[in-house]
Every structure is written in structure tokens, then in C-alpha cells.
């Protein structure tokens, strides 16, 4: 029997900065190779970048490669994160600026996105005093902020510095409010009166609608070809840089077993992981098969709930996902944008089992573009899951669509293109203020 568990923990400290990575394509897949450190373009004391984020892996991880790239170019980068991500930021060469986020022990993120956004509003507003105090004597030259980290633009207005949104998901498009929230107008989100009040208190003339649905400048961590309704995007300037992947050595390593079997990787990401029935269905689906299965279950599921594991079946709390995707023939995924982009990077066909609205939109795009198939979670059992995996693994049409997506990913530019946007924004601001 093979029962393996592995905790995902960031290293407490690091002596050298992990270099940025360049995506290289070989055959039907891509690999990561270190980029030689660049000669710094700026004196770090002359250019200070502040990155504001929310405490979620799918939001922090895409920014790590950008932090690495900016540091390699000579910028000083401060990252507002919670303690959970402190060592990850240090690993990327940034300086963590910690804030507290309210949490309920043992709780899981709400599937209702309006409730989740309301929580993000609370985190942003409550973190403002501490973050403002930290940066008061060391104001940044530019602010980069996650789509839900509104402390960023609020403080940027106070400091009168340029601001760029970092989007790890679809950029606002016509119909996004109905698709994600099931609401007729974004102002119906319960937390948005609080955000509107914070904007008013900060003296911003912008509205909640403009801030959330029409940001002036966006760096999106997906290619334009994957964006939902790209012709209706409402941002002022949108730079689709595609996946920005860092080496993430803080996650440890995973090696493909020497059994010669195809690998199926199963993960519901980091938020919606308390699904023991789903995990048991996966175990049943691949017991006695020709597959080697690698499955993550998060911290909230007791391994005793899963029963005995068959041969060639690994169960982990978490894994270094990029390592597993390099070896995988199929990815059974919740459909988070970060996981989708990483799967596309390695040309791995997907079976999407989304757990909430945003993930359903992503999986819908996967199916529309022929990159895999959607298996609604209420239809998952051992038979339907095994059948879906076998179908996408054998599909020449899906393999062809994945191969065609490769050039779009390469041309988007990743972390390097994102850093270029930051530099151009800084230069424009300096010219305007000269």
C-alpha cells in the first residue's frame, strides 16, 4: 500500500534569491529553465515597488515570478501579505509587509463569490491603518494590487503614485457580474457600501463600479485567447501576459515514480478541499487501473476517511504542482485560473470539476477551446471520472488544441512582460511629473 503525506510549507529563510524562470517548449510540453540574473537596471534605493495581495495561493503565487523579475532588474519590492506567505515572498527576493486577516479556525472559503468578495473588502479596509503606518516613511514609487486587494489603490491615491492591477482571473467583461455573482449589478454585493465609504474617506472621485469593473491599467496572468469575451473587456489598458511561473523551491520537490505508468494528477486547489466523497470516488476510479494517481486533499480531510489506498495511488496534503504537471498525462482540476494556466504551460489535458462560479467560467472556457472537458461535481462517481480521464487522454483534438495554445503562452511574455509594463508605467509617471 502507498500512503504518502506531505505538508506544503514555505522555508523560513533563504540565503540566495531563486532566479526567475523561462518557459521552454520541447515536443508537446513545456519546461522551466532558470533565467540568468540580469544586470540591475535601477538603483534599488531609487525605485520602490509595493505589491498588495490577498491571503490566497491562487492570488499570491502568480505574483512571485513578477517580484523575482523586478528584483533581478534592480527594483526594491515590498509585498503586503499575511504571515502564511511571508517566507514565499522572501524566497522571491521581496520584503514582506505583514498584515492580519480575520479568519475562523477550521473554516473554508465560501463558495458564494459575493460572500468571498465581502470578506476581501473587510480585509482591505481593516488592514489600511497598519499598512499606511508601515509605508509612511518609505512610500513606494508605484503600487501593484490584486483584484481584491483594495488597500492598494486606496493608499496609492493618498501617496499620489501610479497604480496597476494584477489580475489572476478574467478581466472584467460584459456580463461578468451575472456570471460570477448572479447579481444584476455589482453594487448588490453586501460589502460594497463599505468599500464605497472607504473610497469617499480616502477622497477618491472614482466609484466602486469604476474601481472594480473598469480599472485603468491591468496586468492579466492569462493569454488574451483564454479571456472570456475579450472584445468587451472594460479596462482602460489590459496587458495579457499569460502565466508567470516561478521556481517555487519552497514547496519541495516531487519525482515521477519509475513504474512506467501514465500519471493522473487530481487536485481541488487550496480553498475547497473538504470533499472526502470526491476523493473516495477518485480512489475507486483508478484502483486496479493502468494509471499512477497523485492526489492532494488539503489539511481539512483526515486520511483515515479515505480508507486503504490501492497500489500506484499517492495521497498528499499538497504537492509542488509544477513538478507533478511535468509528468502528468491528465489533470483532474477544480479549474482555478492558476492551475489552468499551469496545466496549459505543460500541455496537460484537463477534466474540470469546478466548485464555484468563477471556476465554472474557467472550465467552460477549457471546454469551449477544446482543451479538456467539464465534469460537473454532482455527476462525479468512479465510472464517470475514469471515463472522462480516459477520453481526454486519448483525444487527438484536445492534444492539437493544447499544442496550438503554446505559441499564445510564449508570446504573452509572462513575468518579463509584466515587469516591462511596470517599468513603462513608472517612466510615464516620471515624464508626466517632470
Amino acid at each position: 500500500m502507498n500512503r504518502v503525506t506531505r505538508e506544503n510549507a514555505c522555508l523560513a529563510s533563504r540565503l540566495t534569491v531563486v532566479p526567475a524562470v523561462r518557459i521552454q517548449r520541447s515536443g508537446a510540453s513545456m519546461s522551466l529553465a532558470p533565467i540568468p540574473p540580469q544586470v540591475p537596471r535601477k538603483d534599488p534605493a531609487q525605485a520602490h515597488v509595493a505589491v498588495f495581495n490577498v491571503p490566497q495561493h491562487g492570488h499570491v503565487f502568480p505574483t512571485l515570478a513578477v517580484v523575482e523579475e523586478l528584483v533581478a532588474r534592480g527594483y526594491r519590492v515590498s509585498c503586503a501579505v499575511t504571515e502564511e506567505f511571508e517566507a514565499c515572498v522572501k524566497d522571491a527576493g521581496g520584503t514582506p509587509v505583514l498584515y492580519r486577516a480575520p479568519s475562523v479556525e477550521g473554516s473554508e472559503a465560501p463558495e458564494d463569490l459575493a460572500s468571498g468578495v465581502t470578506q476581501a473588502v473587510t480585509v482591505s479596509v481593516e488592514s489600511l491603518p497598519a499598512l499606511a503606518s508601515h509605508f509612511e516613511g518609505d512610500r513606494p514609487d508605484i503600487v501593484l494590487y490584486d483584484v481584491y486587494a483594495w488597500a492598494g489603490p486606496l493608499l496609492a491615491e493618498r501617496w499620489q503614485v501610479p497604480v496597476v492591477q494584477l489580475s489572476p482571473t478574467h478581466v472584467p467583461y460584459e456580463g461578468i457580474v451575472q456570471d460570477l455573482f448572479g447579481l444584476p449589478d455589482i453594487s448588490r454585493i453586501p460589502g460594497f457600501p463599505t468599500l464605497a465609504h472607504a473610497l469617499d474617506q480616502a477622497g477618491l472621485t472614482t466609484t466602486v463600479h469604476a474601481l472594480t469593473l473598469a480599472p485603468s491599467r491591468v496586468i492579466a496572468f492569462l493569454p488574451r485567447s483564454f479571456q472570456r469575451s475579450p472584445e468587451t473587456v472594460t479596462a482602460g489598458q489590459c496587458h495579457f501576459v499569460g502565466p508567470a511561473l516561478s521556481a517555487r523551491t519552497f514547496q519541495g520537490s516531487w519525482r515521477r515514480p519509475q513504474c512506467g505508468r501514465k500519471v493522473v494528477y487530481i487536485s481541488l486547489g487550496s480553498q475547497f478541499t473538504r470533499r472526502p466523497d470526491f476523493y473516495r470516488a477518485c480512489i475507486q476510479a483508478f484502483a486496479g487501473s493502468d494509471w499512477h494517481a497523485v492526489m492532494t486533499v488539503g489539511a481539512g480531510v483526515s486520511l483515515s476517511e479515505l480508507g486503504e489506498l490501492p497500489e500506484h495511488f499517492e495521497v498528499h496534503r499538497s504537492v509542488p504542482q509544477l513538478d507533478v504537471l511535468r509528468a502528468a498525462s491528465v489533470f483532474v482540476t477544480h479549474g482555478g485560473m492558476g492551475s489552468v494556466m499551469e496545466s496549459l504551460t505543460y500541455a496537460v489535458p484537463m477534466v474540470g470539476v469546478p466548485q464555484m462560479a468563477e471556476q465554472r467560467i474557467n472550465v467552460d472556457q477549457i471546454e469551449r477551446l477544446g482543451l479538456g472537458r467539464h465534469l460537473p461535481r454532482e455527476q462525479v462517481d468512479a465510472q464517470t471520472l475514469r471515463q472522462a480521464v480516459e477520453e481526454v487522454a486519448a483525444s487527438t483534438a484536445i492534444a492539437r488544441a493544447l499544442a496550438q495554445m503554446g505559441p499564445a503562452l510564449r508570446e504573452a511574455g509572462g513575468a518579463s512582460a509584466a515587469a516591462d509594463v511596470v517599468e513603462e508605467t513608472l517612466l510615464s509617471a516620471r515624464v508626466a511629473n517632470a
Side-chain angles (χ1 to χ4, degrees):
M1 300 297 176
N2 184 13
R3 183 184 298 276
V4 185
T5 64
R6 182 180 301 157
E7 300 293 342
N8 178 21
C10 297
L11 296 177
S13 62
R14 192 176 158 83
L15 295 178
T16 58
V17 175
V18 179
V21 293
R22 177 178 290 117
I23 298 174
Q24 296 180 331
R25 190 170 185 90
S26 177
S29 64
M30 295 184 182
S31 60
L32 299 177
I35 297 175
Q38 300 186 27
V39 177
R41 303 183 185 184
K42 307 288 182 184
D43 180 344
Q46 295 177 348
H48 181 195
V49 180
V51 182
F52 291 79
N53 225 313
V54 294
Q56 295 179 16
H57 291 81
H59 292 254
V60 173
F61 278 12
T63 68
L64 295 177
V66 181
V67 172
E68 289 180 356
E69 178 71 17
L70 289 169
V71 169
R73 294 186 184 194
Y75 293 93
R76 185 163 55 94
V77 184
S78 299
C79 298
V81 292
T82 56
E83 186 176 6
E84 178 183 4
F85 298 99
E86 178 180 10
C88 304
V89 168
K90 289 181 179 178
D91 196 65
T95 300
V97 178
L98 302 185
Y99 66 88
R100 293 181 179 274
S103 63
V104 178
E105 185 65 27
S107 67
E108 190 174 67
E111 290 185 17
D112 174 57
L113 192 55
S115 298
V117 169
T118 297
Q119 290 181 0
V121 170
T122 300
V123 170
S124 290
V125 173
E126 290 187 357
S127 66
L128 271 172
L131 293 174
S133 176
H134 173 88
F135 285 105
E136 190 57 39
D138 186 24
R139 295 187 178 185
D141 298 293
I142 188 171
V143 163
L144 315 181
Y145 74 101
D146 178 80
V147 291
Y148 299 137
W150 292 293
L154 287 168
L155 289 173
E157 176 67 19
R158 179 183 302 185
W159 300 326
Q160 292 295 290
V161 298
V163 62
V164 181
Q165 184 184 92
L166 303 178
S167 180
T169 186
H170 293 283
V171 180
Y173 60 88
E174 186 177 314
I176 192 171
V177 177
Q178 180 63 43
D179 285 349
L180 297 189
F181 304 102
L183 297 173
D185 188 85
I186 201 165
S187 63
R188 300 286 186 89
I189 293 175
F192 271 30
T194 300
L195 181 57
H197 179 69
L199 295 176
D200 184 61
Q201 291 291 101
L204 271 71
T205 57
T206 190
T207 64
V208 167
H209 285 76
L211 180 67
T212 57
L213 297 180
S216 60
R217 183 178 284 106
V218 179
I219 293 171
F221 296 114
L222 62 152
R224 189 179 187 278
S225 56
F226 197 85
Q227 165 72 37
R228 180 88 153 193
S229 302
E231 69 282 356
T232 69
V233 162
T234 52
Q237 294 181 25
C238 190
H239 305 270
F240 292 98
V241 304
L245 306 185
S246 60
R248 298 183 204 164
T249 55
F250 55 80
Q251 292 184 308
S253 62
W254 178 90
R255 290 189 178 183
R256 180 177 189 151
Q258 300 300 309
C259 61
R261 293 167 175 257
K262 293 181 295 183
V263 173
V264 55
Y265 173 41
I266 305 161
S267 175
L268 294 181
S270 60
Q271 285 192 289
F272 306 103
T273 58
R274 296 186 178 182
R275 307 291 189 269
D277 289 343
F278 170 78
Y279 301 136
R280 285 191 288 266
C282 292
I283 292 169
Q284 185 181 354
F286 299 105
S289 74
D290 294 330
W291 291 88
H292 181 90
V294 180
M295 184 169 73
T296 65
V297 298
V301 172
S302 170
L303 299 181
S304 64
E305 296 180 69
L306 305 182
E308 292 296 325
L309 298 182
E311 293 288 342
H312 307 293
F313 206 111
E314 302 179 35
V315 175
H316 303 262
R317 295 294 181 193
S318 62
V319 293
Q321 182 157 289
L322 299 181
D323 283 0
V324 182
L325 284 173
R326 285 191 192 96
S329 294
V330 176
F331 185 14
V332 178
T333 174
H334 63 306
M337 186 66 81
S339 290
V340 171
M341 289 299 109
E342 290 165 12
S343 192
L344 293 180
T345 297
Y346 293 101
V348 181
M350 288 167 277
V351 174
V353 187
Q355 306 296 302
M356 44 87 78
E358 184 176 4
Q359 296 163 8
R360 285 191 288 273
I361 296 302
N362 296 340
V363 173
D364 183 52
Q365 288 296 94
I366 289 171
E367 209 162 49
R368 285 186 183 187
L369 297 171
L371 305 166
R373 62 162 293 190
H374 179 194
L375 180 60
R377 64 180 182 179
E378 60 272 13
Q379 297 179 16
V380 171
D381 59 28
Q383 181 178 354
T384 58
L385 182 61
R386 173 82 170 270
Q387 182 179 354
V389 167
E390 297 284 2
E391 286 177 357
V392 301
S395 172
T396 56
I398 291 176
R400 185 163 54 249
L402 288 164
Q404 291 171 350
M405 180 63 73
L409 297 179
R410 291 195 300 272
E411 292 165 9
S416 179
D420 288 345
V421 173
V422 175
E423 288 193 328
E424 291 163 5
T425 305
L426 272 169
L427 179 60
S428 296
R430 286 171 177 166
V431 170
N433 294 329

